[in-house]
Amino acid sequence: MTKTRSGERRPSRVARLYSESPKQGEHRSAAQRDRDRLLYTSAFLRLAEVTQVVAPTNAHVFHNRLTHSLQVAQVGRRIAEVLLTLQKAETRRVGGLDPDAVEASCLAHDIGHPPFGHIAEQELNTLASAAGLRDGFEGNAQSFRIVTQLAFRTTGNPGLNLSCATLGGILKYPWTRGTTGKHAKKWGAYDSELHEFQWVRSRMPLGQEQRTLEAELMDWADDVTYSIHDLEDFYRAGRIPLHLLSKRKEADERERFYSEVFTRRAEEDGVWRLYGEQELREAFEAVVGVFDINEPYAGTQAHRSRLRRFTGYWIGEYINAIRVNAKLKDGQRFVVIDPKAEKQVAMLKELTWHYVITDPAIAAIQHGQRRIIRELFDVFSSAVSGSNFDLALFPNYYREKLSKVANELRQERLRLVVDLISGMTERQAAAMCHRLTGTIAGSPFETILH
């Protein structure tokens, strides 16, 4: 237990659900041990073969989910260090802040991301919900499930047994699935991990559905990182014409961008309702206006150094754009983000949507990816349903898990099917689909090992 300035007793942030005896000579803090456990789990390593937006090609190296997560962790840690330097008293007042816990939470934030990204997330949710899983599939809830149940260190207890502070930092959406509003769109835990979820939430000094300080920093670090690095990736690849958007005389290019973005976001909440269109336009132009390459990216030393200077400058600005809410009232967020930075990051994120994700070529690829997920779900869910219960198709780990729930509710078996599919790399998912449908036989010596 820790003691606040007012004398109130609070549960320790370093507590773990399952007690552990420290090793002799152990000098790492609880959060440092969390970070190290995450770095070495196979669920984290598989992110190297899960794309961020598009898969790498022979000509271009794009961020994948692993490199993205490492960069989010670096940005999140730097933000925490800045706050501890500038607002140490305020961080204590809201329950404390641990840079290692922020880093660990950032490393874990995408660990539940399925192959093929958000398209697969949507498809798995649709399929799982239609099959009778009340809380469907959600990448954030899957991340929490992995660290508390699926990944493991010993055969004695499930999960990685992370500390309370790190688990709280993973919960970007600190609620289970609901039927309306934000609860139906995103959620942070499934009913199957309700005990672990309630344990974490009960040990933190929080208002209802209030994020922890670590979770707030993780979320901002995520937004900052992918808004800047996706821009960098696709400018280098020739897809985002940053050199045109930065020129005052190229008003037509900016207007096409603005028209599509503000039409697509017209009915959405968040920054789109909080700020006016003109404010968002001005925020965007303040960023691209300082871009000093006047032509498509050519990979020269001058281009590389200028691009790196541009991205480094804005990441530094956004690291310093968040502060602890020193006048916190019940239920309020633990942080305040500079409105200028919030508007800029929101608009930068739209570049990838406008120039890449809405491209017809991407739509065709995503159609095929949805089909792979459907094929896998149909085959594996049929194998665990009714009288057709058949484990022959499953990897050994899932055979063991399914054997234990053979006589339980079908929902428990379906949840394991979802675990299997969402835990594949993209190459594994495509290869397994080809094998199951007879498109390509593959080698009998290849198997899926999580």
Side-chain angles (χ1 to χ4, degrees):
M1 299 286 283
T2 58
K3 206 170 188 178
T4 65
R5 194 176 283 181
S6 64
E8 171 192 0
R9 303 294 288 182
R10 281 184 183 154
S12 172
R13 289 160 41 86
V14 302
R16 301 183 189 276
L17 186 58
Y18 306 106
S19 61
E20 293 182 8
S21 300
K23 295 180 181 178
Q24 187 174 3
E26 176 63 80
H27 300 294
R28 294 173 298 170
S29 69
Q32 287 172 341
R33 287 153 61 199
D34 292 345
R35 179 197 59 205
D36 295 349
R37 290 175 188 183
L38 285 159
L39 279 171
Y40 287 92
T41 185
S42 59
F44 180 72
L45 299 178
R46 70 170 274 275
L47 295 178
E49 289 202 27
V50 179
T51 59
Q52 172 73 0
V53 179
V54 297
T57 67
N58 291 333
H60 299 286
V61 177
F62 298 110
H63 287 82
N64 57 44
R65 287 286 160 182
L66 181 65
T67 56
H68 166 69
S69 296
L70 291 169
Q71 289 169 336
V72 173
Q74 183 268 330
V75 170
R77 183 180 188 89
R78 292 294 173 263
I79 295 172
E81 291 169 345
V82 167
L83 294 181
L84 285 174
T85 298
L86 299 179
Q87 291 187 288
K88 194 166 188 177
E90 288 84 353
T91 63
R92 287 175 178 165
R93 196 174 300 138
V94 299
L97 175 63
D98 186 340
D100 289 304
V102 174
E103 185 177 0
S105 301
C106 291
L107 289 173
H109 87 284
D110 264 353
I111 207 168
H113 213 75
F116 312 125
H118 293 297
I119 285 297
E121 184 177 30
Q122 294 166 8
E123 191 67 23
L124 271 175
N125 181 45
T126 298
L127 294 166
S129 299
L133 278 178
R134 189 199 74 81
D135 40 14
F137 177 82
E138 213 287 328
N140 293 278
Q142 191 69 21
S143 294
F144 191 74
R145 177 169 167 81
I146 287 171
V147 300
T148 58
Q149 288 291 330
L150 302 180
F152 57 89
R153 299 174 57 251
T154 69
T155 56
N157 296 315
L160 298 176
N161 201 27
L162 303 179
S163 71
C164 189
T166 297
L167 288 176
I170 294 170
L171 289 169
K172 178 179 176 180
Y173 305 104
W175 53 79
T176 55
R177 188 181 192 180
T179 56
T180 59
K182 66 180 183 180
H183 301 89
K185 294 178 181 178
K186 291 286 184 180
W187 52 101
Y190 300 128
D191 290 344
S192 52
E193 285 71 58
L194 188 59
H195 170 67
E196 292 81 0
F197 172 78
Q198 291 176 337
W199 178 84
V200 174
R201 296 294 294 174
S202 68
R203 299 189 69 84
M204 307 297 276
L206 301 163
Q208 188 177 15
E209 298 184 355
Q210 184 180 31
R211 294 174 180 170
T212 69
L213 182 53
E214 280 86 0
E216 293 281 13
L217 301 194
M218 176 273 287
D219 188 33
W220 180 240
D222 185 26
D223 281 353
V224 168
T225 301
Y226 81 73
S227 68
I228 295 293
H229 291 136
D230 284 359
L231 179 156
E232 178 184 12
D233 278 351
F234 294 112
Y235 170 65
R236 287 192 294 106
R239 300 305 299 272
I240 294 179
L242 197 54
H243 59 292
L244 297 180
L245 292 164
S246 65
K247 295 178 182 178
R248 303 299 301 178
K249 66 180 181 180
E250 296 290 346
D252 288 349
E253 186 65 40
R254 284 198 303 279
E255 286 303 319
R256 282 192 291 271
F257 170 64
Y258 291 145
S259 176
E260 188 276 326
V261 169
F262 292 122
T263 299
R264 176 163 44 82
R265 298 294 190 184
E267 304 300 322
E268 296 196 19
D269 293 330
V271 295
W272 312 105
R273 196 172 296 276
L274 185 61
Y275 303 112
E277 180 177 327
Q278 187 59 35
E279 288 183 88
L280 292 165
R281 284 171 172 251
E282 291 171 357
F284 176 75
E285 289 169 17
V287 179
V288 299
V290 300
F291 188 68
D292 62 350
I293 303 177
N294 296 318
E295 57 191 346
Y297 184 76
T300 63
Q301 182 172 339
H303 280 192
R304 293 173 70 179
S305 62
R306 289 179 185 179
L307 181 60
R308 183 65 62 223
R309 185 167 63 244
F310 174 79
T311 57
Y313 171 79
W314 286 110
I315 288 174
E317 288 290 296
Y318 299 144
I319 283 174
N320 288 286
I322 186 170
R323 290 288 180 267
V324 176
N325 186 357
K327 298 179 181 179
L328 184 71
K329 297 179 181 179
D330 288 346
Q332 285 186 326
R333 294 177 64 181
F334 282 128
V335 298
V336 176
I337 299 172
D338 180 350
K340 179 178 70 173
E342 189 174 40
K343 288 179 283 189
Q344 289 173 346
V345 167
M347 290 299 290
L348 290 175
K349 285 159 60 176
E350 294 306 309
L351 287 169
T352 303
W353 275 95
H354 177 74
Y355 287 105
V356 182
I357 295 175
T358 59
D359 188 282
I362 296 293
I365 292 170
Q366 291 177 338
H367 178 82
Q369 292 169 341
R370 285 183 182 274
R371 187 169 181 176
I372 289 173
I373 296 298
R374 284 197 300 270
E375 293 281 3
L376 293 175
F377 187 86
D378 288 346
V379 171
F380 285 122
S381 62
S382 295
V384 299
S385 299
S387 59
N388 297 323
F389 197 73
D390 181 7
L391 300 183
L393 296 174
F394 291 86
N396 285 332
Y397 175 75
Y398 284 92
R399 289 186 188 185
E400 294 172 353
K401 301 283 283 186
L402 286 163
S403 294
K404 295 177 181 178
V405 296
N407 297 318
E408 304 296 330
L409 294 174
R410 178 171 176 266
Q411 282 82 353
E412 293 192 38
R413 302 195 294 275
L414 286 174
R415 177 56 67 195
L416 288 169
V417 166
V418 172
D419 291 337
L420 169 61
I421 297 170
S422 66
M424 292 181 183
T425 67
E426 289 166 11
R427 183 160 41 181
Q428 286 175 331
M432 179 59 77
C433 181
H434 292 154
R435 191 179 305 176
L436 292 173
T437 58
T439 309
I440 301 174
S443 168
F445 301 106
E446 291 178 308
T447 189
I448 295 174
L449 298 175
H450 282 191

